[in-house]
Short mmCIF file of all heavy atoms in Angstrom, two decimals:
data_model
loop_
_atom_site.label_atom_id
_atom_site.label_comp_id
_atom_site.label_asym_id
_atom_site.label_seq_id
_atom_site.Cartn_x
_atom_site.Cartn_y
_atom_site.Cartn_z
N LYS A 3 -6.65 38.62 14.48
CA LYS A 3 -7.32 37.37 13.95
C LYS A 3 -7.39 36.34 15.06
O LYS A 3 -6.44 36.10 15.78
CB LYS A 3 -6.42 36.86 12.74
CG LYS A 3 -6.45 37.74 11.56
CD LYS A 3 -5.65 37.14 10.41
CE LYS A 3 -5.43 38.15 9.32
NZ LYS A 3 -6.53 38.00 8.28
N VAL A 4 -8.52 35.66 15.20
CA VAL A 4 -8.72 34.63 16.20
C VAL A 4 -9.24 33.42 15.50
O VAL A 4 -10.16 33.47 14.53
CB VAL A 4 -9.85 35.08 17.15
CG1 VAL A 4 -10.14 34.07 18.17
CG2 VAL A 4 -9.40 36.41 17.86
N GLU A 5 -8.55 32.21 15.81
CA GLU A 5 -9.06 31.01 15.24
C GLU A 5 -9.56 30.12 16.27
O GLU A 5 -9.03 29.85 17.39
CB GLU A 5 -7.79 30.27 14.65
CG GLU A 5 -8.17 29.07 13.80
CD GLU A 5 -6.98 28.44 13.13
OE1 GLU A 5 -5.89 28.78 13.40
OE2 GLU A 5 -7.23 27.58 12.22
N VAL A 6 -10.81 29.60 16.02
CA VAL A 6 -11.63 28.85 17.01
C VAL A 6 -12.16 27.54 16.39
O VAL A 6 -12.19 27.42 15.15
CB VAL A 6 -12.74 29.63 17.63
CG1 VAL A 6 -12.19 30.97 18.38
CG2 VAL A 6 -13.79 30.07 16.61
N VAL A 7 -12.74 26.67 17.18
CA VAL A 7 -13.39 25.52 16.76
C VAL A 7 -14.79 25.59 17.36
O VAL A 7 -15.01 26.20 18.46
CB VAL A 7 -12.70 24.20 17.17
CG1 VAL A 7 -11.48 24.03 16.32
CG2 VAL A 7 -12.33 24.22 18.63
N ALA A 8 -15.73 24.88 16.82
CA ALA A 8 -17.09 24.82 17.17
C ALA A 8 -17.75 23.48 16.96
O ALA A 8 -17.45 22.85 15.96
CB ALA A 8 -17.96 25.92 16.49
N GLY A 38 -17.68 25.88 21.74
CA GLY A 38 -16.26 25.61 21.30
C GLY A 38 -15.43 26.74 21.88
O GLY A 38 -15.76 27.43 22.88
N GLY A 39 -14.30 26.94 21.27
CA GLY A 39 -13.41 28.00 21.70
C GLY A 39 -12.09 28.07 20.98
O GLY A 39 -11.91 27.41 19.91
N LYS A 40 -11.22 28.83 21.53
CA LYS A 40 -9.93 29.08 20.86
C LYS A 40 -9.06 27.84 20.84
O LYS A 40 -9.06 26.99 21.72
CB LYS A 40 -9.22 30.20 21.62
CG LYS A 40 -9.75 31.54 21.37
CD LYS A 40 -8.91 32.66 22.01
CE LYS A 40 -9.60 33.99 21.84
NZ LYS A 40 -9.91 34.61 23.00
N ILE A 41 -8.22 27.74 19.71
CA ILE A 41 -7.27 26.67 19.57
C ILE A 41 -6.00 27.20 20.23
O ILE A 41 -5.50 28.32 19.93
CB ILE A 41 -7.00 26.37 18.06
CG1 ILE A 41 -8.37 26.02 17.37
CG2 ILE A 41 -5.93 25.38 17.93
CD1 ILE A 41 -8.21 25.90 15.85
N GLU A 42 -5.43 26.41 21.12
CA GLU A 42 -4.23 26.82 21.82
C GLU A 42 -3.01 26.29 21.02
O GLU A 42 -3.03 25.38 20.22
CB GLU A 42 -4.17 26.25 23.22
CG GLU A 42 -5.19 26.93 24.15
CD GLU A 42 -5.15 26.42 25.61
OE1 GLU A 42 -4.43 25.53 25.85
OE2 GLU A 42 -5.97 26.97 26.36
N LEU A 43 -1.79 26.98 21.17
CA LEU A 43 -0.61 26.60 20.56
C LEU A 43 -0.31 25.07 20.67
O LEU A 43 -0.38 24.60 21.79
CB LEU A 43 0.51 27.45 21.07
CG LEU A 43 1.82 27.46 20.26
CD1 LEU A 43 1.51 28.13 18.92
CD2 LEU A 43 2.88 28.29 20.95
N GLY A 44 -0.13 24.48 19.51
CA GLY A 44 0.32 23.02 19.58
C GLY A 44 -0.89 22.05 19.46
O GLY A 44 -0.68 20.80 19.44
N GLU A 45 -2.11 22.61 19.55
CA GLU A 45 -3.27 21.71 19.61
C GLU A 45 -3.81 21.47 18.22
O GLU A 45 -3.77 22.43 17.36
CB GLU A 45 -4.47 22.38 20.34
CG GLU A 45 -4.40 22.18 21.85
CD GLU A 45 -5.72 22.78 22.46
OE1 GLU A 45 -6.18 23.87 22.07
OE2 GLU A 45 -6.18 22.18 23.42
N THR A 46 -4.30 20.29 17.94
CA THR A 46 -5.01 20.10 16.72
C THR A 46 -6.47 20.70 16.97
O THR A 46 -6.80 20.97 18.01
CB THR A 46 -5.19 18.64 16.39
OG1 THR A 46 -5.96 17.93 17.44
CG2 THR A 46 -3.83 17.93 16.31
N LYS A 47 -7.19 20.90 15.88
CA LYS A 47 -8.54 21.41 15.91
C LYS A 47 -9.41 20.44 16.80
O LYS A 47 -10.17 20.86 17.61
CB LYS A 47 -9.09 21.63 14.63
CG LYS A 47 -8.47 22.65 13.73
CD LYS A 47 -8.98 22.73 12.36
CE LYS A 47 -8.36 23.70 11.38
NZ LYS A 47 -7.03 23.26 11.07
N GLU A 48 -9.26 19.10 16.57
CA GLU A 48 -10.05 18.17 17.35
C GLU A 48 -9.64 18.16 18.79
O GLU A 48 -10.47 18.09 19.63
CB GLU A 48 -9.87 16.82 16.76
CG GLU A 48 -10.42 16.59 15.40
CD GLU A 48 -9.55 17.08 14.20
OE1 GLU A 48 -8.39 17.62 14.47
OE2 GLU A 48 -9.89 16.82 13.02
N ASP A 49 -8.44 18.28 19.18
CA ASP A 49 -7.95 18.35 20.58
C ASP A 49 -8.53 19.53 21.20
O ASP A 49 -9.05 19.50 22.31
CB ASP A 49 -6.51 18.27 20.67
CG ASP A 49 -5.81 16.95 20.39
OD1 ASP A 49 -6.55 16.02 20.39
OD2 ASP A 49 -4.61 17.03 20.17
N ALA A 50 -8.48 20.69 20.50
CA ALA A 50 -9.04 21.96 21.02
C ALA A 50 -10.53 21.85 21.29
O ALA A 50 -11.02 22.27 22.33
CB ALA A 50 -8.69 23.04 20.07
N LEU A 51 -11.22 21.28 20.37
CA LEU A 51 -12.67 21.10 20.49
C LEU A 51 -12.97 20.25 21.70
O LEU A 51 -13.88 20.58 22.51
CB LEU A 51 -13.31 20.47 19.24
CG LEU A 51 -14.81 20.54 19.18
CD1 LEU A 51 -15.36 21.91 19.34
CD2 LEU A 51 -15.26 19.93 17.93
N LEU A 52 -12.32 19.14 21.92
CA LEU A 52 -12.63 18.18 23.01
C LEU A 52 -12.28 18.93 24.35
O LEU A 52 -13.07 18.82 25.32
CB LEU A 52 -11.82 16.90 22.88
CG LEU A 52 -12.32 16.02 21.76
CD1 LEU A 52 -11.34 14.82 21.56
CD2 LEU A 52 -13.80 15.54 21.99
N ARG A 53 -11.20 19.65 24.38
CA ARG A 53 -10.84 20.43 25.60
C ARG A 53 -11.86 21.44 26.01
O ARG A 53 -12.34 21.53 27.11
CB ARG A 53 -9.46 21.12 25.41
CG ARG A 53 -9.00 21.89 26.65
CD ARG A 53 -7.75 22.57 26.43
NE ARG A 53 -7.74 23.41 25.24
CZ ARG A 53 -8.30 24.60 24.99
NH1 ARG A 53 -9.10 25.12 25.88
NH2 ARG A 53 -8.13 25.10 23.88
N GLU A 54 -12.25 22.24 24.91
CA GLU A 54 -13.25 23.37 25.16
C GLU A 54 -14.59 22.74 25.63
O GLU A 54 -15.24 23.23 26.58
CB GLU A 54 -13.39 24.15 23.92
CG GLU A 54 -12.24 25.14 23.70
CD GLU A 54 -12.29 26.34 24.67
OE1 GLU A 54 -13.24 26.52 25.37
OE2 GLU A 54 -11.21 27.03 24.58
N GLU A 57 -14.38 21.70 29.24
CA GLU A 57 -14.30 22.83 30.07
C GLU A 57 -15.68 23.50 30.28
O GLU A 57 -16.23 23.90 31.37
CB GLU A 57 -13.34 23.91 29.58
CG GLU A 57 -11.91 23.58 29.82
CD GLU A 57 -10.90 24.53 29.11
OE1 GLU A 57 -11.38 25.60 28.54
OE2 GLU A 57 -9.73 24.21 28.94
N GLU A 58 -16.37 23.81 29.13
CA GLU A 58 -17.59 24.49 29.01
C GLU A 58 -18.85 23.71 29.42
O GLU A 58 -19.80 24.21 29.96
CB GLU A 58 -17.83 25.09 27.59
CG GLU A 58 -16.87 26.20 27.16
CD GLU A 58 -17.18 26.68 25.79
OE1 GLU A 58 -18.18 26.35 25.21
OE2 GLU A 58 -16.41 27.48 25.36
N PHE A 68 -15.70 16.94 9.85
CA PHE A 68 -15.58 18.33 9.68
C PHE A 68 -16.87 18.77 8.95
O PHE A 68 -17.42 18.12 8.02
CB PHE A 68 -14.33 18.64 8.80
CG PHE A 68 -14.22 20.01 8.34
CD1 PHE A 68 -13.90 21.03 9.18
CD2 PHE A 68 -14.65 20.28 7.02
CE1 PHE A 68 -13.90 22.34 8.70
CE2 PHE A 68 -14.64 21.58 6.56
CZ PHE A 68 -14.22 22.61 7.44
N THR A 71 -15.81 25.71 7.57
CA THR A 71 -14.98 26.75 8.11
C THR A 71 -15.56 28.14 7.64
O THR A 71 -15.84 28.31 6.48
CB THR A 71 -13.55 26.75 7.66
OG1 THR A 71 -12.92 25.52 8.19
CG2 THR A 71 -12.70 27.90 8.14
N LEU A 81 -12.67 36.55 12.82
CA LEU A 81 -12.84 35.17 13.35
C LEU A 81 -12.79 34.14 12.27
O LEU A 81 -13.52 34.28 11.26
CB LEU A 81 -14.12 35.07 14.10
CG LEU A 81 -14.43 33.76 14.82
CD1 LEU A 81 -13.57 33.69 16.11
CD2 LEU A 81 -15.83 33.57 15.14
N THR A 82 -11.94 33.10 12.47
CA THR A 82 -11.98 31.93 11.64
C THR A 82 -12.35 30.79 12.51
O THR A 82 -11.84 30.45 13.49
CB THR A 82 -10.52 31.70 11.08
OG1 THR A 82 -10.14 32.71 10.29
CG2 THR A 82 -10.57 30.35 10.18
N MET A 83 -13.63 30.21 12.15
CA MET A 83 -14.24 29.15 12.95
C MET A 83 -14.40 27.88 12.15
O MET A 83 -15.04 27.81 11.15
CB MET A 83 -15.60 29.64 13.41
CG MET A 83 -16.26 28.63 14.34
SD MET A 83 -17.66 29.30 15.18
CE MET A 83 -18.57 30.15 13.94
N HIS A 84 -13.78 26.75 12.71
CA HIS A 84 -13.95 25.45 12.07
C HIS A 84 -14.91 24.70 12.83
O HIS A 84 -14.72 24.47 14.06
CB HIS A 84 -12.54 24.76 12.16
CG HIS A 84 -11.39 25.60 11.70
ND1 HIS A 84 -11.11 25.75 10.42
CD2 HIS A 84 -10.42 26.32 12.39
CE1 HIS A 84 -10.00 26.59 10.17
NE2 HIS A 84 -9.59 26.85 11.42
N SER A 85 -15.94 24.24 12.13
CA SER A 85 -17.02 23.56 12.75
C SER A 85 -17.04 22.05 12.49
O SER A 85 -16.63 21.62 11.41
CB SER A 85 -18.41 24.11 12.47
OG SER A 85 -18.64 23.98 11.08
N PHE A 86 -17.39 21.25 13.40
CA PHE A 86 -17.42 19.77 13.34
C PHE A 86 -18.73 19.26 13.85
O PHE A 86 -19.34 19.68 14.80
CB PHE A 86 -16.32 19.23 14.20
CG PHE A 86 -14.97 19.46 13.76
CD1 PHE A 86 -14.36 20.72 14.15
CD2 PHE A 86 -14.21 18.66 12.99
CE1 PHE A 86 -13.05 21.06 13.75
CE2 PHE A 86 -12.91 18.92 12.57
CZ PHE A 86 -12.36 20.21 12.92
#
Side-chain angles (χ1 to χ4, degrees):
K3 293 178 186 271
V4 179
E5 188 174 13
V6 300
V7 287
K40 290 187 181 114
I41 302 169
E42 293 182 358
L43 196 62
E45 278 185 320
T46 66
K47 294 175 183 74
E48 291 85 352
D49 287 345
L51 189 57
L52 291 172
R53 177 186 48 76
E54 285 286 347
E57 288 172 9
E58 291 182 6
F68 169 78
T71 293
L81 184 74
T82 299
M83 180 166 52
H84 310 283
S85 62
F86 294 83

